[in-house]
Amino acid sequence: MNSSHRIPQLLFRTTFVVGALAFIAGASPALADGAFFAPQTKIRLTIVQWMQSKGQYERWDALGGEYTVSAEGTVFLPFLGSVSVGNLENTALTNEIAKRLQEKIGLIQPPAVTIEILEYPPIYVVGDVTTPGEYKFRPGLTVLQSLAMSGGPFRAKTPLETASIKLAGELREIDHSILRSTAKLSRLQAEMAGAKEITFDQTTGADQQFSSGIYNEERVIFQARASALERQSKALTELRELLTTEISTLEEKLVGADENIKSVEDQLTSVKSLVQKGLTISSRQLDLERLLTTYRSDKLDLVTAIMRGRQAVSETTRNLEGLSDTRRSEVAVEAQAERANLDQLKMKREMTQKLLIDELAAGDGLKSRSEELLPITFTVSRRNKGRIDQFQALETTTLAPGDVVRVVRPRIPGEPSEPTSDQSAEKGPETLANRASQ
């Protein structure tokens, strides 16, 4: 009874393993029969063997794994060493590995070997394309698809197109300069009028984000200059009040000095009379005379200080009253210079715009001629059994791993021969100068 149960289990296990191997081989991208392994191909090797003693398949993980085909078309495998795969297709390679393992180990039956393609060698697109370089291969890739992967055909800019691009950039920069100048004039006019805020003239078609940044900068400058003027005015006002208070104090001291002088003069008159009568000594008279001289000197110092204080008050008042006039005068001169700059920018914009229109009109004729170009040609270089074969290809030609696709686009008369040449950029300013002089 145990034997009858074991047979169905073995059949089920065998069917399951074989089915799983078939599923793995079918689900992974494998080379078609007759296709060879190109260098840089990344493969996964799976080896299984039926173990009669265990009644099941066992996987040889020590020999299996991921490998990459070398430039010489070989794969180095553990236990077997170097195996040449360049001239073998999928079935022949799996049979070769199974045969070597059978001979090396001395197996009765060769093990089951499967090979999966994990990654194909890349293809290379060169020539007249936008971004030449290395691209990932996938089965069924055509020449036209590789052209799309490389950005399409390269279209070199003619000198007229380069000049038009430069003129468009100059025109945009001039528009930005005009916007800056207009915003500055609005700010200067608001300062001259003594306004609390700036009213900007909205320019149609301007970049809103850029214009908002310029307006905010002018508002910051406006507020900073207004605050500076207010601080200067406040400082002069406080200085005048301080000088006035100091003068008042000096005048009070002057009144006290006059009283002291009058008192000493009265005492001196009395002492002189007593000295003449011999009722007091003369030294008393001398002391009073020296004291009177000191008081009169102090009075002169006070009078001088009051006069200087009044002069400082007068000068501070003139500075305070002339502060706004001086600022308005400076702003007026600055506004006059900015208006002249704005007029020059407008004239420059008008000239640049006319030049751009002429360049675009000349470029339309060149574009109409470019539409009559011959079709693009494709040449494919393919490695085949150690040699390189080249052949003309169509857009629908299917590529193989490692192919090199060369794209050739016919030239327009007068077009630069090299895509990376800077000749067009060098001729642009000369064209503009000639047109401007005419």
Side-chain angles (χ1 to χ4, degrees):
M1 185 172 179
N2 292 337
S3 175
S4 62
H5 281 289
R6 185 177 181 184
I7 292 175
Q9 291 177 358
L10 294 176
L11 291 175
F12 174 75
R13 187 176 300 169
T14 303
T15 305
F16 174 79
V17 173
V18 173
L21 293 173
F23 173 78
I24 294 175
S28 61
L31 287 177
D33 292 337
F36 299 99
F37 293 89
Q40 301 183 36
T41 303
K42 192 174 182 179
I43 63 175
R44 178 185 287 133
L45 180 65
T46 304
I47 303 174
V48 296
Q49 183 188 17
W50 172 255
M51 303 300 294
Q52 186 70 28
S53 59
K54 298 181 180 180
Q56 64 181 14
Y57 281 94
E58 285 192 357
R59 191 169 182 169
W60 295 7
D61 293 330
L63 296 179
E66 298 180 1
Y67 303 94
T68 301
V69 180
S70 66
E72 293 76 18
T74 61
V75 173
F76 187 84
L77 300 178
F79 191 69
L80 294 181
S82 179
V83 178
S84 178
V85 300
N87 298 324
L88 299 176
E89 41 82 27
N90 197 345
T91 304
L93 179 59
T94 56
N95 293 337
E96 177 69 17
I97 294 175
K99 180 181 177 181
R100 288 195 183 188
L101 288 174
Q102 182 183 11
E103 294 175 354
K104 194 79 171 179
I105 303 176
L107 300 175
I108 299 176
Q109 295 293 334
V113 179
T114 59
I115 295 178
E116 308 168 50
I117 304 298
L118 300 179
E119 185 177 335
Y120 291 95
I123 63 167
Y124 303 88
V125 185
V126 298
D128 297 329
V129 293
T130 303
T131 53
E134 174 184 309
Y135 295 93
K136 188 175 182 179
F137 175 83
R138 65 174 184 276
L141 183 67
T142 63
V143 169
L144 184 60
Q145 291 172 340
S146 69
L147 179 63
M149 293 166 63
S150 60
F154 176 81
R155 300 189 181 276
K157 293 182 176 62
T158 63
L160 288 178
E161 292 174 331
T162 304
S164 299
I165 294 173
K166 287 188 174 182
L167 287 173
E170 291 179 6
L171 190 62
R172 181 177 179 83
E173 181 61 29
I174 292 172
D175 288 338
H176 287 175
S177 299
I178 290 176
L179 179 61
R180 293 189 187 95
S181 182
T182 304
K184 184 176 180 180
L185 272 177
S186 299
R187 189 251 301 169
L188 294 174
Q189 291 173 357
E191 290 182 358
M192 291 178 61
K196 299 297 183 182
E197 294 181 357
I198 311 175
T199 302
F200 294 102
D201 297 332
Q202 299 295 331
T203 305
T204 57
D207 186 358
Q208 297 298 325
Q209 184 175 2
F210 180 79
S211 59
S212 298
I214 296 297
Y215 294 157
N216 290 333
E217 291 176 359
E218 292 297 332
R219 290 190 183 96
V220 171
I221 296 174
F222 178 77
Q223 294 295 335
R225 289 165 67 97
S227 299
L229 181 61
E230 184 179 358
R231 286 195 302 270
Q232 292 177 3
S233 177
K234 184 178 180 181
L236 290 174
T237 301
E238 292 177 351
L239 177 59
R240 185 173 62 179
E241 292 176 354
L242 180 62
L243 291 173
T244 302
T245 303
E246 185 177 356
I247 291 173
S248 299
T249 303
L250 292 174
E251 288 176 346
E252 292 179 359
K253 289 183 177 181
L254 183 60
V255 172
D258 289 337
E259 292 178 353
N260 291 334
I261 291 173
K262 187 177 182 306
S263 175
V264 172
E265 288 177 344
D266 292 341
Q267 293 180 22
L268 184 58
T269 302
S270 299
V271 169
K272 283 182 179 181
S273 176
L274 294 174
V275 170
Q276 291 176 357
K277 295 178 180 181
L279 299 177
T280 184
I281 58 178
S282 59
S283 59
R284 176 62 177 166
Q285 180 181 349
L286 294 175
D287 292 339
L288 289 174
E289 288 176 352
R290 284 195 296 268
L291 183 60
L292 180 61
T293 301
T294 302
Y295 283 163
R296 286 175 179 174
S297 177
D298 293 341
K299 178 181 179 180
L300 289 176
D301 292 340
L302 291 174
V303 171
T304 302
I306 291 173
M307 292 177 62
R308 290 176 179 175
R310 289 173 179 173
Q311 183 180 2
V313 169
S314 180
E315 183 179 357
T316 304
T317 302
R318 285 197 307 271
N319 292 336
L320 182 59
E321 293 175 352
L323 183 62
S324 298
D325 295 337
T326 303
R327 175 58 61 87
R328 278 195 295 269
S329 177
E330 294 175 353
V331 171
V333 172
E334 193 174 355
Q336 185 178 9
E338 195 61 40
R339 288 192 186 93
N341 180 48
L342 182 60
D343 292 339
Q344 292 180 359
L345 288 173
K346 289 181 178 179
M347 292 177 59
K348 185 177 180 181
R349 186 189 189 282
E350 183 178 357
M351 180 181 296
T352 305
Q353 189 174 18
K354 289 181 180 179
L355 289 174
L356 180 60
I357 292 174
D358 293 342
E359 297 292 347
L360 293 176
D364 289 339
L366 182 63
K367 182 178 180 181
S368 63
R369 293 196 302 271
S370 66
E371 293 175 353
E372 301 174 359
L373 294 176
L374 296 174
I376 298 174
T377 58
F378 305 94
T379 303
V380 175
S381 300
R382 179 174 297 170
R383 184 185 296 272
N384 184 14
K385 296 182 179 180
R387 68 177 187 274
I388 303 298
D389 296 335
Q390 290 187 353
F391 58 90
Q392 296 293 323
L394 301 176
E395 294 180 348
T396 57
T397 301
T398 303
L399 297 176
D403 281 355
V404 178
V405 182
R406 178 173 293 278
V407 181
V408 179
R409 181 179 64 86
R411 301 293 178 188
I412 307 173
E415 180 183 349
S417 59
E418 294 295 333
T420 58
S421 176
D422 293 331
Q423 296 177 355
S424 60
E426 296 176 356
K427 293 181 180 179
E430 297 178 2
T431 305
L432 295 179
N434 293 335
R435 290 184 177 272
S437 62
Q438 294 173 1

